[in-house]
Amino acid sequence: DAGITQSPRHKVTETGTPVTLRCHQTENHRYMYWYRQDPGHGLRLIHYSYGVKDTDKGEVSDGYSVSRSKTEDFLLTLESATSSQTSVYFCAIRVSVDTGELFFGEGSRLTVL
Amino acid sequence: SQKIEQNSEALNIQEGKTATLTCNYTNYSPAYLQWYRQDPGRGPVFLLLIRENEKEKRKERLKVTFDTTLKQSLFHITASQPADSATYLCALGNDYKLSFGAGTTVTVRA
């Protein structure tokens, strides 16, 4: 079974500080995604990756960067956090090429004060 | 820009009844549509996929329809149970990217 570990699960930080969220998968799925979820907006795609060192922007990528140096790890970085980036961040992996099914992690709740 | 709308934020129904959720979209031609379930504090969980050339899909007590002319999907939970209480998200996709609606929260009363 696919497994995803997101860390940290909860973080409180101050405006202007850098933040990195980590997503680790236990298998070798090619596609990995970072979404943010906010009330009234649903899940919005930030960035995604289709292989090691291969990444692309989603619909809300401003203020975020990503890196994927190993198949199993996908990092999301907020270079200088702002209050508008307070959100719940979900990592997902594409576990089925046929159905496009995404398997999600448990989420990382970030609060920027 | 593309837009995905789920009909209402909350739906309250009596146990045993059928819950019907709507997902409408504009400015988009998805190759497939998926439905996910999300419980509070958890990540979404995949339920069903329906492709653009399919009209209806069933899985146990769940039924999904997909009308590409109306740009609409209907999601039915038949013989609903309190355990079905959750938020349900529709997602539209082409290739390897999914776009999600905001979700509809379903509460099933015993």
Side-chain angles (χ1 to χ4, degrees), chain A residues 9 31 33 35 37 40-43 45 48 57 59 90 94 98-106, chain B residues 2 9 32 34 36 38 41-46 49 51 89 95-103:
Chain A
R9 294 291 314 281
Y31 290 94
Y33 304 82
Y35 285 88
Q37 187 172 39
H41 289 279
L43 286 158
L45 181 63
Y48 64 97
K57 296 178 180 180
E59 60 182 305
F90 286 99
R94 191 179 192 218
D98 180 46
T99 68
E101 174 187 347
L102 296 188
F103 180 85
F104 284 84
E106 293 296 300
Chain B
Q2 66 189 49
E9 289 189 0
Y32 56 87
Q34 300 177 355
Y36 288 76
Q38 187 174 23
R42 308 295 299 275
V45 175
F46 174 80
L49 160 80
R51 302 183 193 280
L89 309 171
D95 295 328
Y96 43 81
K97 284 198 292 184
L98 274 182
S99 298
F100 285 83

Side-chain angles (χ1 to χ4, degrees), chain A residues 68-82:
Chain A
R68 193 166 178 201
S69 58
K70 296 186 291 185
T71 298
E72 59 266 35
D73 290 325
F74 192 31
L75 303 181
L76 177 71
T77 298
L78 291 66
E79 300 291 346
S80 178
T82 67

